[in-house]
Amino acid sequence: MTGEQAEQFDALGELYTDWNTKINVISRKDIDNLYIRHILHSAGIARFIYFTDGTRVMDVGAGGGFPGIPLAILFPEVRFHLIDSIGKKIKVAQSVADAIGLKNVTTRHCRIEEEKNTFDFVVSRAVMTLPELVKLVRKNIGKKQRNALPNGLICLKGGDLRKEISSFGRNVITTELSDYFDEEFFETKKIIYVPL
């Protein structure tokens, strides 16, 4: 990690704390756990896949910018498009990206049904059930391959997901975040990848 990336990560605490006093971006009781439960959780995707330069990633239901903002810091040569149906939250994501100088982030206030552009990957963080999400984002996955993993959907989820992923059979890869991180928070957290 470069010095600039470290500074960008350091700045997130103050920025989100400030925004949280104006808009409930993160649960008020959870803001003290911002780095573990939001930033590190989001960065877990970077332990699962290393996006090659030029990759295009859409963050669905980005809220105030998770997982998109931490990933955009980690992958400055990857383009991230963050969307959310709640305008004031996506405004926070754009403001944070601007404040720390991220040039690889765009945002849009819309529902996933309205977004017609294609991307190499779609990422999300506990937005809706996997079958619902796959149905909605399939149209947004481009055909051109740039990465070691085929294009598809990468979700951060928690809890018992057996029923949710059962319809995908062997077409789904589940990775325990506790394989990467020691904190207790990650014991039930997973990365779900569905090639599309």
Side-chain angles (χ1 to χ4, degrees):
M1 186 180 321
T2 67
E4 182 184 15
Q5 287 169 310
E7 286 172 16
Q8 288 171 324
F9 275 117
D10 285 346
L12 294 180
E14 192 175 322
L15 286 165
Y16 279 109
T17 301
D18 182 51
W19 270 109
N20 228 44
T21 63
K22 304 170 197 163
I23 298 170
N24 195 17
V25 182
I26 294 162
S27 156
R28 300 228 190 269
K29 62 181 187 296
D30 214 24
I31 193 71
D32 293 338
N33 300 309
L34 175 73
Y35 275 95
I36 289 176
R37 295 188 180 178
H38 300 278
I39 297 169
L40 193 59
H41 188 213
S42 297
I45 289 174
R47 300 296 297 267
F48 178 73
I49 181 173
Y50 186 88
F51 294 119
T52 58
D53 291 356
T55 297
R56 295 161 307 139
V57 179
M58 177 169 63
D59 180 355
V60 173
F66 300 105
I69 297 286
L71 291 173
I73 294 171
L74 290 169
F75 298 103
E77 301 303 322
V78 171
R79 294 190 304 268
F80 290 88
H81 183 59
L82 282 56
I83 69 168
D84 200 279
S85 61
I86 301 172
K88 62 185 180 181
K89 288 193 175 182
I90 205 68
K91 180 184 167 204
V92 171
Q94 185 65 62
S95 174
V96 168
D98 292 345
I100 61 174
L102 290 177
K103 308 257 187 282
N104 58 335
V105 171
T106 57
T107 59
R108 182 178 178 203
H109 171 212
C110 71
R111 297 177 57 80
I112 182 57
E113 293 88 344
E114 300 168 62
E115 182 59 67
K116 304 299 183 216
N117 290 311
T118 59
F119 303 85
D120 302 305
F121 289 93
V122 170
V123 296
S124 83
R125 195 168 168 250
V127 172
M128 60 183 75
T129 67
L130 200 59
E132 283 179 282
L133 192 54
V134 165
K135 196 166 128 186
L136 291 172
V137 304
R138 191 177 292 278
K139 71 183 184 332
N140 300 105
I141 301 295
K143 301 290 176 236
K144 185 177 180 188
Q145 300 293 317
R146 305 170 204 266
N147 291 271
L149 285 175
N151 295 354
L153 172 66
I154 303 171
C155 296
L156 291 164
K157 287 185 161 281
D160 185 351
L161 301 170
R162 285 176 293 197
K163 185 177 177 197
E164 207 172 308
I165 65 175
S166 63
S167 61
F168 296 97
R170 293 192 176 156
N171 234 6
V172 66
I173 294 172
T174 304
T175 301
E176 304 287 335
L177 278 171
S178 58
D179 292 349
Y180 305 132
F181 304 121
D182 296 330
E183 290 83 358
E184 187 180 329
F185 172 75
F186 296 107
E187 284 177 11
T188 60
K189 305 297 182 201
K190 298 170 181 64
I191 292 174
I192 308 295
Y193 162 64
V194 183
L196 296 173

